[in-house]
Amino acid sequence: MTLKDNMQANEPPKPSQLDPETKLGELAVQLDLEAAAEHKDEYLIDSLIKFQRLANYITVAQIFLQSNALMTREMTKDDVKRRLLGHFGTCPGLNLLYAHTLALLAREESKGQQRKTIFITGPGHGAPAILSCLYLEGSITHFYPQYSMDSVGFEKFVRAFSWPGGFPSHVNAETPGAIHEGGELGYALSVAYGSIMDKPHLLTVCVVGDGESETGPTATAWHGHKYINPRDSGAVLPILHVNGFKISERTIPGTMDDYELVTLYTGYGYQVRFVEYGDTTDTSHEHTVALNVNLAASMQWAFEEIHKIQHAARKEGTPIVKPRWPMIILRTPKGMTGPREVEGARLVGSFHSHQVPLPKAQTDDGQFAALIEWLSTYKVHELFEEHRIHSGHGWFVNEEVMRIVPKEPSLRLGMVKDSYSMYKPLHLPEFVEFAITTKEASLMKAVGGYLADVVRKNPHSFRIFSPDEFESNKLDGVFEATMRAFEWDPETAKPGGRVIEMLSEHTLQGFLQGYLLTGRHGLFPSYEAFLGIVTTMIAQYSKFRKVAAEVAWREPCASLNYIMTSTLWRQEHNGYSHQNPGLIGNLLTLPQNMVRVYLPPDANCALSVMEHCLRSTDYVNLIIGSKADTPVFLSAEEAHRHCISGISVWRKYSTDEGLNPDVVLCGIGVEVTMEIIAAAKLLQMEGVRVRVVNVVDLMTLGEPGQHPHALSAEAFTGIFGTDVPVIFNFHGYPMHVQGLLFSRNQSLGRKRMDVLGYIEEGTTTTPWSMLRMNKADRFHICYLAVTGIASRDPNSRIASRAAELGAWYKHQDVVHERYAVANGKDSEDVTNAQVMFEA
């Protein structure tokens, strides 16, 4: 009996922790703010406000100034950057939240508690704020010593924002503490939940912008807490930052009142605490103090609620059923602390503050004067030790500002090692221990058995994230070693489940990214047709990792591993909508040195590739394979050698081991390789000398020098010759192989090379009919072979029979089409693997 067999059908939902008598107006968490105000000193309110003043000043300085950032002399237009880049509107809110997260950690540190915390910024365009806080806490100088914590280093740092060779306008892999870029919005929350899985002592504070919250991926990511076991994993504190506007339009949450928001997020399963800025015209010190007391008390409440949930699961042994994790909804005006209006246009509390509020500050007298006035409102010289600025030596910010920064550097948000230096390799079994010795086997069943052992050997550092397709994809052998993880499901709410299934590819991708970037390993298997849903997420992640590889202080992380199965050639039962291999082409556009596309032709090759991918780091690995039972062409030893080279001549299926061929037939994929071997046998029966080639590593066909696995010109010629016809039968779209081959001189013009594959002919039909409809079947291959041989050598023996043979092969396609229509299945002539594929 497997673990999955213990599941009971139709269990009723577990009851909620909500009191059914609770009224709508009582759903929001209420705190005693008068009592909280009495603990103002304990909350470090004065330091919080001063830290924010300075962080907001540095934010503005980064956007506008190229010199005189400390205003040690009178400002001139020459001090203003020629190109003003950046996004100010979200920054004051981010500085507010970053400061309060630091203060919470400092308060806990003073009690002898050290809590590792990652700060994820959904609005990644708020980089000036994050960089400002990172500089103040010392993380920038720690990783980039050229930006020293003195007046000289400060001037360099301010100038570096959105400057050639400096920091980009968005949070990215160069940003200490960052595990999420936030360029394409929607993924911050799912990444946050992935980051804390199997890290019981980690807290991730995740700021979700109200514009970002409109995205579909964010909408599903709010369910992320339902997959978190508080015994074994850490916690996420989501903070929805509602400033009301996107680039030029109101946000949906910005138009929702507290009742609408509290019912929405209570329904998601959260305890909701509102922190309201209140009157946007009130900029008094008392108002600022009240806002900060409110947020400090709310952060402390959230922290204590998290502790209660975790304590019940870890210490008391009586975990709370459906725990309601805390979240905060923060309402602040967009662009707060900025100019209230410019040239008659409102800025604070308006979309006009989204990017650069004073875009003509370098050329326009009025806007330049407004910039000087704006900078002066922060009164930063009250926060400086002036003598240190003038001497150019030492940290010039006074101690009161820095009280909210934890004394232990490893607790500061930019220095938490989980965000950049926690990778440990997996303990992996040798794939040969799982070698397939039968004549036929499912690639996915073989891989599932291997993965079960991976789970056993790595119970806390390996997870599988899959849409609701795991058993359909025949990977359920994993359930011999583990189970699903879904805390809200009565059937699977058991500790230690390694498989998360959710019908949101975006959320699963975010989970996986957060899990990998904090040092662990994962796998994402999916139907081929629908894995492309996460294409842009893969692209964004690849950009992040490409930059990370160029950053000296970031260590490697496990590769992003995908299995693409339930492939188009065996989706004849679901039909045209399920037939789409397009992700291959999307990956080919990514940085070439990062991409690996594997098409193992049989189960032993699939095992070899799986082990290799799980050992690798910093790649995007795509494994494509069938879940149906298919021939096992190679022994484990043969598969190992084949996968090491990525491409090889299959001598046992070739004429005289491939010597002096009339034609080269190359298979790239499972079913298409079966057709190549079948075609080789048919051609050999007519006296054609055939060399059979198989490609398991698609990138071997690429341009030499562009990919580390690309064949040299000499090796390519050794396999494909220079003057014989070559027919590629490819799993996906022919254009993707054609693109890889384009730089190969001998293939220009395609005069001797044909590439077959999927050409968008699909429906509900029989399996072999899919190959025939797309002209990737054995008879079409034979037709192209004899016509190609005749074209290149009109005096050959085959040329004299080309017309006869060509007609016969075309006729066979018609015969088998008629058989399928008449019988509702394929003829045994094309399905009898034992007869056709034995060497």
Side-chain angles (χ1 to χ4, degrees):
M1 177 181 290
T2 65
L3 294 170
K4 67 174 181 176
D5 294 326
N6 292 323
M7 294 171 60
Q8 310 258 336
N10 300 318
E11 288 278 342
K14 297 177 182 178
S16 167
Q17 291 293 322
L18 279 173
D19 184 345
E21 301 299 319
T22 303
K23 297 178 181 178
L24 182 63
E26 299 172 348
L27 288 175
V29 173
Q30 302 299 319
L31 300 177
D32 187 344
L33 295 181
E34 289 187 7
E38 296 177 3
H39 298 279
K40 186 173 66 170
D41 292 341
E42 179 185 332
Y43 286 138
L44 307 174
I45 298 300
D46 287 344
S47 294
L48 273 163
I49 292 172
K50 289 176 179 178
F51 185 97
Q52 291 167 60
R53 275 170 53 195
L54 185 50
N56 284 328
Y57 172 82
I58 299 172
T59 296
V60 179
Q62 286 182 90
I63 294 173
F64 286 96
L65 301 182
Q66 64 178 352
S67 56
N68 197 23
L70 287 168
M71 295 194 296
T72 54
R73 55 173 171 76
E74 184 176 348
M75 192 77 67
T76 70
K77 289 181 182 178
D78 288 337
D79 293 319
V80 180
K81 292 176 178 176
R82 303 299 188 268
R83 299 178 70 242
L84 298 178
L85 305 171
H87 299 76
F88 175 72
T90 189
C91 286
L94 291 176
N95 283 328
L96 174 67
L97 292 169
Y98 198 109
H100 275 268
T101 303
L102 282 177
L104 173 66
L105 298 177
R107 293 196 300 270
E108 292 301 310
E109 183 185 37
S110 69
K111 302 173 189 175
Q113 302 295 320
Q114 295 191 346
R115 189 66 181 251
K116 294 188 298 180
T117 302
I118 290 175
F119 190 90
I120 290 182
T121 310
H125 53 276
I130 303 304
L131 291 169
S132 297
C133 294
L134 287 167
Y135 181 76
L136 287 175
E137 73 174 23
S139 293
I140 292 292
T141 303
H142 176 76
F143 292 108
Y144 301 98
Q146 65 269 36
Y147 305 120
S148 51
M149 297 183 76
D150 54 31
S151 57
V152 175
F154 181 80
E155 292 284 350
K156 289 181 180 178
F157 169 70
V158 168
R159 178 188 175 97
F161 176 73
S162 286
W163 193 270
F167 293 103
S169 64
H170 283 60
V171 171
N172 78 336
E174 296 165 284
T175 310
I179 61 168
H180 173 69
E181 188 150 335
E184 182 179 48
L185 300 177
Y187 316 128
L189 191 55
S190 56
V191 170
Y193 277 112
S195 73
I196 56 94
M197 292 178 182
D198 300 318
K199 283 188 176 282
H201 302 296
L202 183 65
L203 170 67
T204 295
V205 175
C206 180
V207 183
V208 179
D210 51 346
E212 177 180 21
S213 75
E214 297 179 358
T215 63
T218 299
T220 53
W222 290 109
H223 291 294
H225 66 92
K226 298 179 174 73
Y227 296 88
I228 301 303
N229 184 319
R231 190 194 73 175
D232 303 321
S233 293
V236 172
L237 173 56
I239 302 176
L240 177 63
H241 182 206
V242 182
N243 64 28
F245 289 92
K246 302 187 286 285
I247 294 176
S248 61
E249 168 66 301
R250 292 289 296 271
T251 63
I252 293 174
T255 65
M256 299 170 72
D257 64 20
D258 287 359
Y259 290 119
E260 292 165 328
L261 288 172
V262 76
T263 52
L264 174 63
Y265 291 102
T266 298
Y268 272 119
Y270 293 93
Q271 298 181 72
V272 182
R273 168 66 188 164
F274 287 96
V275 177
E276 307 272 357
Y277 183 89
D279 183 0
T280 60
T281 64
D282 189 346
T283 59
S284 66
H285 179 69
E286 293 74 18
H287 184 269
T288 301
V289 169
L291 171 65
N292 279 272
V293 167
N294 190 345
L295 185 54
S298 299
M299 293 284 286
Q300 193 66 42
W301 159 79
F303 186 81
E304 291 170 2
E305 288 298 309
I306 289 169
H307 178 73
K308 288 178 187 176
I309 294 169
Q310 293 177 337
H311 184 78
R314 299 174 188 178
K315 305 296 184 182
E316 298 176 1
T318 54
I320 299 170
V321 177
K322 285 187 175 179
R324 305 189 68 79
W325 297 86
M327 72 168 288
I328 294 171
I329 298 179
L330 172 67
R331 289 188 189 270
T332 64
K334 188 158 188 155
M336 65 178 180
T337 78
R340 299 206 63 79
E341 64 175 51
V342 172
E343 298 177 357
R346 180 180 174 184
L347 284 183
V348 175
S350 162
F351 67 85
H352 290 294
S353 65
H354 179 77
Q355 291 182 306
V356 179
L358 302 171
K360 297 182 288 185
Q362 209 275 329
T363 57
D364 181 86
D365 290 341
Q367 290 200 11
F368 176 67
L371 174 61
I372 295 175
E373 173 62 24
W374 181 6
L375 291 169
S376 69
T377 63
Y378 295 112
K379 301 178 181 178
V380 291
H381 286 288
E382 298 176 2
L383 311 176
F384 293 159
E385 303 288 346
E386 294 285 345
H387 67 281
R388 291 182 175 171
I389 292 176
H390 296 302
S391 70
H393 300 292
W395 184 227
F396 52 83
V397 175
N398 67 44
E399 292 182 3
E400 180 63 20
V401 176
M402 303 301 293
R403 284 184 63 203
I404 68 167
V405 178
K407 291 181 172 58
E408 169 54 47
S410 66
L411 297 178
R412 298 171 191 175
L413 297 175
M415 298 192 206
V416 175
K417 282 197 170 184
D418 296 74
S419 66
Y420 71 93
S421 178
M422 292 296 286
Y423 171 80
K424 290 182 176 60
L426 289 171
H427 300 289
L428 291 175
E430 298 288 337
F431 89 90
V432 295
E433 299 172 19
F434 298 84
I436 304 299
T437 57
T438 57
K439 291 184 177 180
E440 290 190 358
S442 161
L443 279 71
M444 292 303 108
K445 283 187 177 181
V447 167
Y450 178 80
L451 292 173
D453 210 41
V454 175
V455 167
R456 292 187 191 100
K457 293 178 183 296
N458 304 274
H460 305 297
S461 59
F462 177 71
R463 284 182 182 254
I464 299 172
F465 303 91
S466 173
D468 182 30
E469 303 156 357
F470 204 66
E471 291 199 46
S472 172
N473 287 332
K474 298 190 177 180
L475 291 166
D476 50 314
V478 172
F479 292 130
E480 297 291 337
T482 187
M483 65 207 82
R484 294 178 177 88
F486 185 17
E487 288 301 302
W488 278 38
D489 183 355
E491 300 171 342
T492 61
K494 300 179 180 68
R498 297 285 92 193
V499 178
I500 289 182
E501 285 193 290
M502 182 183 188
L503 266 175
S504 169
E505 286 86 353
H506 290 111
T507 300
L508 294 174
Q509 173 74 18
F511 286 169
L512 177 58
Q513 290 181 193
Y515 200 63
L516 297 185
L517 289 170
T518 48
R520 283 74 58 74
H521 303 254
L523 177 67
F524 191 149
S526 178
Y527 273 30
E528 177 180 62
F530 308 124
L531 188 54
I533 290 170
V534 297
T535 296
T536 57
M537 290 186 74
I538 297 172
Q540 293 288 314
Y541 180 86
S542 299
K543 293 175 187 290
F544 187 92
R545 288 309 305 171
K546 176 182 181 295
V547 174
E550 299 164 0
V551 174
W553 48 268
R554 280 200 185 264
E555 295 186 1
C557 73
S559 294
L560 197 56
N561 294 315
Y562 298 96
I563 291 178
M564 208 158 72
T565 187
S566 294
T567 59
L568 71 98
W569 301 113
R570 292 308 307 267
Q571 280 294 332
E572 78 289 340
H573 58 294
N574 280 321
Y576 195 32
S577 65
H578 284 54
Q579 297 158 1
N580 179 7
L583 182 63
I584 299 170
N586 292 319
L587 294 193
L588 295 180
T589 67
L590 300 179
Q592 288 282 289
N593 64 317
M594 295 181 65
V595 176
R596 306 288 188 271
V597 179
Y598 297 106
L599 297 104
D602 71 1
N604 282 326
C605 289
L607 289 168
S608 176
V609 168
M610 189 74 262
E611 180 187 342
H612 170 74
C613 290
L614 291 177
R615 291 191 190 280
S616 69
T617 58
D618 284 332
Y619 297 151
V620 178
N621 293 316
L622 177 62
I623 305 170
I624 306 161
S626 177
K627 66 183 181 183
D629 286 346
T630 54
V632 179
F633 298 115
L634 304 179
S635 68
E637 182 180 351
E638 290 170 332
H640 186 50
R641 292 176 64 90
H642 179 48
C643 292
I644 287 174
S645 64
I647 180 174
S648 65
V649 176
W650 281 9
R651 297 189 295 272
K652 63 184 176 181
Y653 296 108
S654 304
T655 306
D656 292 339
E657 297 191 338
L659 294 176
N660 303 317
D662 297 320
V663 65
V664 177
L665 305 184
C666 179
I668 315 174
V670 178
E671 291 83 1
V672 290
T673 293
M674 292 166 60
E675 294 306 296
I676 284 289
I677 294 174
K681 204 155 198 176
L682 291 171
L683 288 168
Q684 287 166 341
M685 290 167 61
E686 302 298 337
V688 177
R689 296 181 62 83
V690 181
R691 176 183 293 168
V692 173
V693 175
N694 184 264
V695 172
V696 64
D697 180 351
L698 185 62
M699 306 313 289
T700 59
L701 301 180
E703 180 179 358
Q706 294 300 307
H707 192 280
H709 292 184
L711 292 175
S712 66
E714 295 77 12
F716 188 89
T717 299
I719 291 174
F720 295 108
T722 58
D723 60 354
V724 295
V726 180
I727 301 170
F728 292 91
N729 207 20
F730 177 50
H731 172 87
Y733 293 112
M735 64 181 293
H736 296 146
V737 168
Q738 291 166 352
L740 289 170
L741 293 172
F742 188 78
S743 67
R744 301 285 182 180
N745 291 333
Q746 60 264 50
S747 70
L748 290 177
R750 307 292 175 262
K751 290 182 180 179
R752 74 180 186 98
M753 292 195 174
D754 286 293
V755 182
L756 310 179
Y758 181 60
I759 54 174
E760 285 292 339
E761 292 295 334
T763 183
T764 301
T765 184
T766 62
W768 191 83
S769 293
M770 279 295 300
L771 293 154
R772 175 185 53 77
M773 292 167 61
N774 287 278
K775 298 183 178 181
D777 65 281
R778 63 195 68 180
F779 300 115
H780 188 67
I781 294 169
C782 288
Y783 170 78
L784 290 178
V786 297
T787 55
I789 293 168
S791 175
R792 298 193 70 80
D793 187 0
N795 297 316
S796 67
R797 181 174 58 83
I798 291 300
S800 66
R801 298 184 58 208
E804 169 210 339
L805 290 172
W808 175 253
Y809 295 136
K810 284 186 174 182
H811 176 67
Q812 291 305 304
D813 273 334
V814 174
V815 168
H816 289 288
E817 178 183 12
R818 289 174 178 169
Y819 183 94
V821 171
N823 296 277
K825 65 175 185 176
D826 291 316
S827 164
E828 288 190 9
D829 291 343
V830 293
T831 60
N832 192 331
Q834 289 192 15
V835 172
M836 188 57 67
F837 304 118
E838 287 183 355

